[in-house]
């Protein structure tokens, strides 16, 4: 089992940057593929980015490709989401999640979730 705690959210102007962090408990962090999802008010939770267990493979939603970058440091049990050129429509609660099942972009594939961190982009 793994517990996830996100941090780094906040209020930023459009065009600005934020870096989210997700700290994981436990000794088996490197056993999990990790993902970032987001949920805006009144909308379903959606996939943002994912990274493989060794960090060698990443995936992005089309809406963030070229602006966001996911990375991980297995020695620190932490996954990051660098968000650049933020847009108003990036406003949402951002969640990190861990999975052992197949399905990179599928919410149901992720076993464990953090509590979320709010990102608000002002236009």
């Amino acid at each position: 089992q793994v517990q996830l705690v996100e941090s780094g959210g906040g209020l930023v102007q459009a065009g600005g940057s934020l870096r989210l962090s997700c700290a994981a408990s436990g000794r088996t962090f490197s056993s999990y593929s990790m993902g970032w999802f987001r949920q805006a008010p009144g909308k379903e939770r959606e996939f943002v980015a994912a990274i493989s267990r060794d960090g060698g493979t990443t995936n992005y939603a089309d809406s963030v490709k070229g602006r966001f970058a996911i990375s991980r440091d297995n020695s620190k049990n932490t996954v990051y989401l660098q968000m650049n050129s933020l847009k108003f429509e990036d406003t949402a609660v951002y969640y990190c999640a861990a999975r052992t099942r197949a399905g990179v972009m599928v919410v149901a594939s992720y076993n464990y979730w953090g509590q979320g961190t709010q990102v608000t982009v002002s236009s």
Side-chain angles (χ1 to χ4, degrees), residues 2-106:
V2 62
Q3 293 183 326
L4 305 171
V5 179
E6 301 97 335
S7 61
L11 174 64
V12 63
Q13 288 188 334
S17 298
L18 281 175
R19 188 175 84 151
L20 305 183
S21 299
C22 174
S25 65
R27 301 179 181 179
T28 60
F29 176 69
S30 60
S31 299
Y32 295 91
S33 297
M34 300 297 295
W36 286 96
F37 289 75
R38 66 188 182 187
Q39 188 166 17
K43 295 188 176 182
E44 293 187 353
R45 193 167 297 189
E46 65 174 5
F47 170 78
V48 175
I51 190 166
S52 59
R53 290 174 292 177
D54 65 356
T57 301
T58 56
N59 300 88
Y60 297 94
D62 288 343
S63 59
V64 307
K65 206 169 289 184
R67 300 188 298 121
F68 290 12
I70 188 172
S71 61
R72 68 189 295 165
D73 186 339
N74 286 344
S75 68
K76 296 182 179 179
N77 283 10
T78 303
V79 62
Y80 305 97
L81 185 67
Q82 178 67 43
M83 305 187 295
N84 299 325
S85 302
L86 282 161
K87 304 176 181 180
F88 175 75
E89 50 264 40
D90 294 319
T91 296
V93 177
Y94 283 71
Y95 299 89
C96 76
R99 66 179 178 89
T100 56
R101 297 188 286 256
V104 171
M105 302 182 186
V106 179

